[in-house]
Amino acid sequence: MSEQQRRDLDEMLRHAPLDVGGDVAEARAVFHAMMTSIPLPPDVTTTPGRLGGVPVVTVDTPGSDPSHVLLYFHGGAYAIGSAADAAGLAADVSRRVGARAVCVDYRLAPESPFPAAVDDAVAAYRALLDQGISAARISFVGESAGGGLAVATLVAVRETGLPQPSSATVFSPWADLTVSGASATSKAAVDPALTQEALRTRARDYLGPTTSGTEPLASPVFADLTGLPPLLVQVGSHEILLDDAVRLAARAAADDVRVELQVWPQVPHVFQSFAVMLDEADEALESAAAFTRAHWAAAAEATAESSAEAAPAASLLP
């Protein structure tokens, strides 16, 4: 992997105009400008719509299989970003997996504090199921706050009794809104994108005055993750959220969840967004796509075996 690529990316992010913890309206405008400054490839189609009353953007790439869905949760510290802003990375994942992506435009803080984002995510997932798409053919993908939201949604889905999707992949998840991980301090100097102060500001916006941040659906590092589907966690070593990813994976392992943790050295927050300029990003996305496809295949095999076992019993019926 290229040391020069990593240096160039670090320099670019350190001089980016975005202040994650600044004025919300300004941060949203700057983030949108940054995320849309590079046009989507001409073969990517984005279609606005609604799922369960929640706005979504469906992202299709050539050859994408509409019978399999990536339910995608964008980043932005729960206060900035949108489904449309995430279309670029969602399309990259979609292309590699070979399935359509549905980006959830969940409500943002401070206008809509916790648990609005979780409620919207569950509603969108439930609507996919109601459309007849099997849970075994759905996978969750989330980046940053969307990564934490993806896991929180899995917990909420379990509590509602809905079937779990086949897997979930999270990029640099913000999984602890108390910002209590040791890397929040130890990695501050090498993280070119995020600061403790910015995350604490956005956490206050999302949590409101009465929520502590230790609630399982706000910070899944504190949740019981028993019964969740296979989980892939990817994170860079040059980000203050490193410990969020490590602790989330450890929590999943302790709760008997099949989990893979991939720590990529000397790369920043959501480095997967920079596959056009960073070899590690390309390799990470290929790994995520392989993980997703493998668990779709495993789910299909399990369904086929279950049907085969049920067939003889059915033939005995009068």
Side-chain angles (χ1 to χ4, degrees):
M1 301 303 173
S2 168
E3 183 178 347
Q4 185 61 50
Q5 289 177 346
R6 294 194 295 269
R7 285 202 302 264
D8 290 345
L9 178 57
D10 184 271
E11 186 72 10
M12 182 185 77
L13 291 175
R14 288 185 185 279
H15 290 88
L18 178 65
D19 178 4
V20 173
D23 176 78
V24 170
E26 182 177 342
R28 288 173 182 171
V30 171
F31 188 75
H32 176 71
M34 290 174 57
M35 297 302 290
T36 57
S37 60
I38 300 176
L40 291 173
D43 61 353
V44 173
T45 302
T46 59
T47 307
R50 300 186 80 84
L51 268 178
V54 179
V56 297
V57 174
T58 298
V59 179
D60 285 295
T61 53
S64 63
D65 179 0
S67 71
H68 289 74
V69 175
L70 300 168
L71 196 61
Y72 194 97
F73 303 103
H74 70 82
Y78 290 107
I80 61 179
S82 69
D85 291 344
L89 182 52
D92 205 350
V93 179
S94 168
R95 190 188 303 277
R96 295 166 193 261
V97 174
R100 68 174 20 166
V102 177
C103 302
V104 181
D105 223 355
Y106 56 87
R107 287 169 290 171
L108 298 178
E111 298 91 338
S112 300
F114 173 81
V118 180
D119 291 343
D120 287 353
V122 172
Y125 178 60
R126 187 191 299 272
L128 279 180
L129 298 176
D130 290 344
Q131 289 180 359
I133 299 176
S134 167
R137 295 186 173 189
I138 301 171
S139 292
F140 287 3
V141 181
E143 36 145 321
S144 192
L149 176 59
V151 180
T153 302
L154 294 175
V155 175
V157 163
R158 183 194 64 201
E159 296 306 306
T160 63
L162 293 172
Q164 292 285 341
S166 64
S167 69
T169 296
V170 293
F171 305 143
S172 301
W174 187 20
D176 174 13
L177 271 67
T178 70
V179 197
S180 60
S183 60
T185 299
S186 65
K187 294 292 183 176
V190 296
D191 189 324
L194 297 177
T195 67
Q196 297 178 65
E197 294 75 18
L199 290 183
R200 290 194 174 107
T201 296
R202 297 284 81 102
R204 287 193 295 270
D205 287 342
Y206 181 55
L207 297 172
T210 61
T211 308
S212 69
T214 60
E215 292 77 5
L217 296 186
S219 299
V221 294
F222 303 119
D224 176 2
L225 305 183
T226 303
L228 268 57
L231 178 65
L232 172 63
V233 183
Q234 293 183 343
V235 66
S237 70
H238 278 196
E239 55 175 307
I240 62 174
L241 292 183
L242 173 61
D243 275 3
D244 283 44
V246 173
R247 288 184 295 148
L248 180 65
R251 178 72 266 163
D255 291 337
D256 299 317
V257 175
R258 181 171 177 173
V259 59
E260 295 182 28
L261 172 65
Q262 298 177 352
V263 181
W264 298 78
Q266 299 180 353
V267 294
H269 187 61
V270 195
F271 65 95
Q272 297 86 347
S273 296
F274 305 98
V276 295
M277 63 180 295
L278 186 68
D279 292 341
E280 288 92 336
D282 182 73
E283 187 176 342
L285 288 173
E286 285 297 317
S287 178
F291 176 87
T292 301
R293 290 193 303 266
H295 288 290
W296 275 337
E301 183 177 346
T303 300
E305 290 177 355
S306 177
S307 298
E309 292 172 358
S315 67
L316 298 177
L317 296 175

